[in-house]
Amino acid sequence: MQAVKTSSDVLFDGPEWTFELLEKARDVIEDIALQDLGLDVYPNQIEIISSEQMLDAYSCAGLPLMYQHWSFGKHFVRDETLYRTGRQGLAYEIVINSNPCISYNMEENTMAMQTLVMAHAAFGHNHFFKNNYLFLQWTDAAGIHDYLAFAKNYIAACEERYGLEAVEEILDAAHALQAQAVFRYGRPPQPTVAEKKAMQRVRDGYESSQSLLDLWTDATMRRETSDDGDEDPAISARQRELNLPQENVLYFLEKNSPILKPWQREMLRIVRSLAQYLYPQKQTKVMNEGCATFVHYYIINQLYQHGRLTQGAFMEMMHSHTNVVLQPDYDDGRFGGINPYALGFAMMTDIRRICEAPTDEDREWFPDIAGDPNWRGVLKDAWANYRDESFIQQFLSPHLIRKFKLFTLSNDADRPNLEVSHIHNRAGYRDIRRELARSYDLAYLEPDIQVTDVDLRGDRELKLTHFARNGIQLEPGNRDEVLKHARRLWGYNVVISVKTES
Amino acid sequence: MHHFIDRRRNPKGKSLGNRQRFLRRARDNIKERVDQSVRGKALHPAGGDPQDGEKVTIPARGLKEPRLAHSATGGLRHHVLPGNKDYVVGDTIARPQGGTGQGGRKASEGGEGEDEFSFTLSQDEYLEILFDGLELPDLVEKNTFETITVGTRRAGLTTAGSPNNLNLVRTMRNSLGRRIALQRPSLAALREVEEQIAMLAAKEPLTAVQMQLLGDLQARLEILKRKRRVVGYIDPLDLRYDTFVPEKIRNSKAVVFCLMDVSGSMQEREKDLAKRFFLLLHLFLSRGYEQTEIVFIRHTHHAQEVDEETFFYARETGGTIVSTALEQMKEIIADRYPTEEWNIYGAQASDGENFGNDSLRCKALLLEDLLPLCQFYAYVEIVDEDADMLLSNADAGEDLWQAYRQVKDKVQHFEMQRVSLPSHIYPIFREFFLPKIKGAQNAGG
């Protein structure tokens, strides 16, 4: 690529940034992002913050407003120490899935980095948030700020009213179950007909007219008939009544715990809502970072080709870019798993290649997109309609598998050694692709735990079941601690049993 | 459509609340570490306060955030890894120790921060934890606070005052209330009547009814005007003035007298131990008092007030007469530290050897002259590292120790302990300053 530039075309020269330069750069970036790439973004609100403020933002899951809790303080002191001692850099940017889309740029960045970061966050991430189906279905970008403000104030009010310790107890317990506080497959269950009737009865004052004694006789009689085992119709009836099994443990506790007070239920709802809000981000790390990285890479190359960047600025950006997409080999000391930036960027670049210059292999593997003249459309479609797991399953090409030299290791506890089960050859492509896709499927990564049964009229013991796959158990220390927290929320015993996949 | 916001002016430290909650939570852990760090700590070269707070390392135990996570071992797993060099299908690899080959990543996903982590406490946080639960030994009840005037403070409202102190808001509020209560006609009401009169007057020939009406209106106008005159817009009754009173701030000061024997028997080790004790005392007092001073007095057979450098590092030889130091302290107090202004603390370190029957003189000086003036007086005897017998048996000891034991029996705000290792300093310091029953008998009164 030949840079044709005259000094008047260059956006900036030198490392210092000013708000005028930022405006100018942003306008040019926006032009490429919207006109050339055809991105569709929320309005941008770009905020310049200091490194201390970045650390603040870091410790609160990157959210601009957060309720107070000691664990955020813990993360803060750890990040701060790592940063001060130079063992960890700070992200150049944080971007929030909201409308308007807020991104934080650090004041320490050079002008070149600010330009890169704007292309990356304010357009790449922003487009992804606005268009990906998971975010559209599960998050309310316009409402999140209000909700965060509500949550912060509500919890502060609870602290004032009920004391720090009482609030901390509930939050600790709720945080312990945060990963079990999302609906993975559907919206929360609607009240059943029976429940609606029950609510109606309460309203009509029906229950107050019943004597306590009647309730007891009912319960005792039911208890006696339910001793036969799992097949008992009474058990399945009560499971139906409680919408069991239920994967969202926190939701179940919020709705059904016999001991929680209304303010405590509200706190569980807050923790659960935020977990749900962040859940799509957990499922789209590769795609989200890949999208942002692809977008910034495309934009800075366009800028350079149009002579809007000095060679120095372009080199600085490229240096940063290559650092971000570095993928060390498995036997490299720096290896820490597969880098989502590297994989996502490589896959998106590869999709463009498959559209523009397909090989026979590509035509065989990707008949729908190979040679498609509109690579922008293919990418936008991918960004909108997939999550990491399905994206990899759909788009990881043999070309990339070879490029990354991917291989799978089987680790079977029953065997003395690890075994190489597939390598990057014709026989291995599909299996490697499937295994890699699966390793991004949270349903596989996170333990599958469900509330399976509870006898509200009997001993009230809450029964959780861990559906173990491939014989992988829960880490026992953590499990016991979490169960203690669960008991605190439930008020009665909570047990967890393992069901192994046949 | 878009905008930039400069947030750098916003307050940082948004996570201060979180940090406080974290410290509260980790308090026991941190306390343990702070205690340890004080015990083993090297002194700051200048002998002053630790400037940048203190680094503490706390174990993540008890600060764990448990999550339901897969165990790192067992079962069947498949890992996809990049960078295959020469493996072919079916190759076997020995299982890496303690992990799955993805050890780093798994550890951070599952049991976040299992290892210890360290961070820096600010100086305030450090001192607060260090001296948590201890209190200033204000055993002697007397007015030791100097009062100085530093300005004025609002002191409510009065009905009289100078115009520049007029409180307009209160005045107008009173005025409005009075006008409403007394039904003072508004200007608008007045204008309305005047307009009606003007309209009627404009019609040239007036009927009898209109004449009547005009008369009524004029009478009404008169009443309104009179009432507006009688009920003033602002009445002297409404006036309120701000008042200010001179503010007296209790400005507390403390002086610490560090008395040390520097005769030949006090070697570097002994001085270092003494210094640790003096340092703690000074740190502790500076938290309680706005201003603390230190007076260093060293003695051999004669006493001398010196600067810190000389106090700790100069070498001296000669006999030992402890009472000279006490005399010197007495003189300096009389000279520079009037007891109605200063809280006086004494700290004495010695190896316990004294000349002849000077110990009795020390006892007399303490009981009669010094202890009545002091808030607290501590004596630390520095004994040999192998003097286990002395440490465990308070009855045994040289003349000075015995004499001081008699002082201790008589006076509550006098404490004495023996130390032989740096690690002894902090515990005995804590013991000195644990809250005790206040207002107990004291020699001076």
Side-chain angles (χ1 to χ4, degrees), chain B residues 114-358:
Chain B
E114 289 300 319
D115 45 342
E116 299 201 327
F117 72 102
S118 59
F119 61 101
T120 307
L121 291 172
S122 73
Q123 194 191 346
D124 260 356
E125 289 166 343
Y126 175 73
L127 292 180
E128 195 196 317
I129 289 167
L130 186 64
F131 300 124
D132 180 38
L134 303 184
E135 62 177 34
L136 280 180
D138 282 317
L139 295 171
V140 187
E141 300 290 339
K142 56 181 174 180
N143 178 21
T144 50
F145 293 107
E146 189 199 13
T147 55
I148 52 166
T149 308
V150 292
T152 54
R153 173 171 66 79
R154 278 175 168 280
L157 301 163
T158 55
T159 50
S162 60
N164 61 333
N165 284 341
L166 184 71
N167 185 321
L168 215 58
V169 172
R170 291 305 187 105
T171 302
M172 291 314 291
R173 193 188 290 168
N174 288 340
S175 148
L176 181 64
R178 188 180 45 77
R179 276 180 277 135
I180 292 170
L182 298 178
Q183 299 183 321
R184 181 180 198 262
S186 67
L187 202 58
L190 200 71
R191 291 260 159 77
E192 199 185 316
V193 177
E194 279 173 349
E195 272 170 30
Q196 283 175 7
I197 293 173
M199 272 169 57
L200 274 181
K203 295 175 182 167
E204 200 42 22
L206 291 175
T207 64
V209 182
Q210 282 171 328
M211 287 291 280
Q212 175 70 24
L213 188 61
L214 187 62
D216 286 354
L217 281 172
Q218 271 160 349
R220 190 167 149 65
L221 183 67
E222 207 48 48
I223 293 171
L224 289 179
K225 278 184 172 165
R226 197 166 55 84
K227 191 142 193 188
R228 275 177 66 85
R229 268 198 310 280
V230 174
V231 184
Y233 186 75
I234 290 183
D235 190 273
L237 217 59
D238 303 329
L239 298 179
R240 289 296 178 275
Y241 298 90
D242 291 326
T243 44
F244 297 90
V245 291
E247 167 134 85
K248 285 175 179 170
I249 288 191
R250 303 215 302 174
N251 188 10
S252 47
K253 300 194 243 181
V255 56
V256 190
F257 282 88
C258 301
L259 277 53
M260 186 162 67
D261 178 357
V262 292
S263 60
S265 50
M266 288 290 284
Q267 295 297 313
E268 280 307 311
R269 181 187 77 89
E270 283 80 7
K271 287 182 184 171
D272 179 63
L273 287 177
K275 187 174 184 179
R276 283 167 194 268
F277 182 76
F278 296 140
L279 170 74
L280 273 180
L281 184 64
H282 181 241
L283 276 178
F284 181 51
L285 293 174
S286 18
R287 281 176 61 75
Y289 296 103
E290 205 159 88
Q291 196 186 341
T292 47
E293 288 189 8
I294 316 185
V295 175
F296 296 104
I297 299 173
R298 61 175 194 160
H299 72 86
T300 53
H301 58 279
H302 72 279
Q304 195 185 359
E305 187 188 352
V306 293
D307 61 17
E308 185 184 335
E309 187 67 22
T310 322
F311 185 73
F312 286 109
Y313 300 107
R315 300 195 165 272
E316 196 86 358
T317 48
T320 311
I321 303 180
V322 177
S323 63
T324 55
L326 300 179
E327 293 274 11
Q328 176 87 21
M329 175 173 170
K330 185 179 148 193
E331 278 167 31
I332 294 175
I333 293 174
D335 220 25
R336 307 195 326 240
Y337 298 101
T339 46
E340 64 273 15
E341 270 180 40
W342 291 87
N343 296 280
I344 297 166
Y345 295 88
Q348 185 187 351
S350 154
D351 57 2
E353 280 171 32
N354 199 5
F355 168 78
N357 60 359
D358 183 59

Side-chain angles (χ1 to χ4, degrees), chain A residues 23 26 43-48 53 56 64 68-78 81 107 159 168 172 175-176 329-331 404-413 415-421 435-436 444-445 447 449 470-475 478 481, chain B residues 1-8 10-15 17-19 21-22 24-25 63-71 74-85 87-96 100-102 105 111-113 117-120:
Chain A
E23 283 278 352
R26 202 211 62 94
N44 271 310
Q45 177 171 323
I46 299 170
E47 306 192 357
I48 307 292
Q53 289 167 326
D56 279 341
Q68 300 202 312
H69 187 253
W70 65 269
S71 63
F72 305 137
K74 174 183 144 185
H75 294 152
F76 180 79
V77 296
R78 197 176 41 204
T81 306
E107 68 170 335
E159 281 181 342
E168 195 169 277
D172 282 357
H175 284 182
D329 287 349
Y330 76 97
D331 52 356
F404 277 98
K405 298 194 172 67
L406 295 178
F407 67 109
T408 56
L409 265 187
S410 293
N411 180 359
D412 188 343
R415 307 176 79 161
N417 290 318
L418 308 179
E419 193 180 318
V420 175
S421 41
E435 287 305 337
L436 188 63
Y444 268 83
L445 276 181
I449 287 160
N470 293 329
I472 298 173
Q473 304 294 323
L474 292 180
E475 199 275 298
N478 265 308
E481 288 300 313
Chain B
M1 171 73 182
H2 73 271
H3 50 289
F4 288 94
I5 297 180
D6 191 350
R7 288 270 185 230
R8 289 169 296 169
N10 275 28
K12 50 200 180 226
K14 238 168 54 174
S15 22
N18 291 328
R19 184 179 169 95
R21 281 166 178 72
F22 165 69
R24 192 175 64 89
R25 173 98 177 188
L63 289 172
K64 244 167 54 177
E65 301 161 71
R67 300 279 187 269
L68 290 171
H70 283 139
S71 149
L76 170 67
R77 301 149 203 261
H78 303 283
H79 304 288
V80 180
L81 301 173
N84 181 22
K85 272 87 185 172
Y87 290 133
V88 295
V89 174
D91 279 358
T92 56
I93 306 168
R95 183 170 281 120
T100 59
Q102 271 182 305
R105 187 156 150 252
E112 217 175 353
F117 72 102
S118 59
F119 61 101
T120 307

Side-chain angles (χ1 to χ4, degrees), chain A residues 349-358 369-373 375-376:
Chain A
T349 313
D350 197 43
I351 289 174
R352 181 178 174 185
R353 181 195 61 80
I354 293 169
C355 293
E356 287 184 330
I369 63 166
D372 191 319
W375 59 265
R376 292 172 178 82

